[in-house]
Amino acid sequence: MTDNGFPVVFPTIETARLILREIRQEDSIAIFKNFSDPEIGKWFFEEPLTEMEQVNQFLAEFDRDFAQKKGITWALTLKEGDSCIGTCGYGHVEFGDRGEIGFDLAKDHWGKGLMTEALQAIIDYGFKILNLSKVEAHSYTYNVRAIRLMEKLGFRLHHVEGDTSYLSLNAGPMIQT
């Protein structure tokens, strides 16, 4: 059920290997582990997170964005377990127009195609359910892995500003991997 296209109840998405579900308080430890890891945190923050309270602030922001119909952030879990291995979602949603994706994944799961699978699912959700005409993303220009992933999904470079690349994907058929 939706309210003007935005879900009223938090949506769960199932893919071949993943379940994307609402983030729970018990996921905060896994999220902290990701964002306090220098190899992951450097893509999001000037310094990796050092306090659990920082994660609690993110969780509150995710809840607030969903309640205000401005964003949806899912916990990524493998089907064979319910442990959070990363997150992905939309921020800055403008129903019927655009939404911006963001994502992170625990290092143990890099290189397995899991984020490609998750992002394909949420992009499809954005176009079909949120009625987006465009999905946007940005990344540090030197984050070659993230940019390559977005290009694999069909994103095109829109512009570069400083050390940030801005990419977008218009509604239409997705690239299958």
Side-chain angles (χ1 to χ4, degrees):
M1 174 175 241
T2 63
D3 176 14
N4 293 328
F6 202 87
V8 175
V9 176
F10 197 95
T12 298
I13 300 174
E14 188 172 327
T15 70
R17 299 178 290 169
L18 298 167
I19 299 207
L20 285 64
R21 60 158 172 78
E22 187 170 13
I23 296 173
R24 296 179 242 181
Q25 188 61 44
E26 59 264 25
D27 297 326
S28 62
I29 294 168
I31 293 169
F32 178 74
K33 184 177 176 184
N34 276 357
F35 288 155
S36 64
D37 182 321
E39 283 189 74
I40 298 171
K42 71 180 178 185
W43 304 119
F44 303 98
F45 318 106
E46 289 183 25
E47 298 288 329
L49 299 188
T50 56
E51 303 286 329
M52 201 59 172
E53 181 54 34
Q54 294 168 297
V55 171
N56 293 332
Q57 291 170 1
F58 283 119
L59 297 183
E61 184 178 325
F62 295 155
D63 287 343
R64 190 171 42 254
D65 283 352
F66 184 76
Q68 295 175 355
K69 301 174 179 64
K70 294 180 181 178
I72 305 173
T73 302
W74 287 271
L76 275 66
T77 65
L78 297 171
K79 278 189 172 177
E80 64 265 10
D82 193 40
S83 297
C84 177
I85 61 169
T87 65
C88 67
Y90 284 100
H92 311 289
V93 172
E94 296 172 19
F95 174 74
D97 185 21
R98 59 176 287 282
E100 181 180 312
I101 61 167
F103 51 93
D104 68 274
L105 185 65
K107 280 190 305 194
D108 293 348
H109 300 284
W110 288 4
K112 299 176 183 178
L114 293 170
M115 191 53 72
T116 301
E117 190 174 315
L119 292 180
Q120 283 178 320
I122 71 165
I123 290 167
D124 188 50
Y125 183 89
F127 288 141
K128 291 180 178 175
I129 305 300
L130 299 178
N131 197 29
L132 302 178
S133 59
K134 180 171 32 174
V135 176
E136 300 172 335
H138 67 273
S139 177
Y140 287 120
T141 303
Y142 50 86
N143 188 348
V144 177
R145 290 175 62 98
I147 291 173
R148 221 178 317 166
L149 170 58
M150 289 182 278
E151 288 173 341
K152 181 179 182 180
L153 292 166
F155 283 77
R156 298 292 172 248
L157 181 64
H158 185 267
H159 71 281
V160 175
E161 191 174 303
D163 62 356
T164 303
S165 294
Y166 293 85
L167 301 100
S168 63
L169 175 66
N170 293 324
M174 289 187 48
I175 305 300
Q176 294 299 316
T177 57

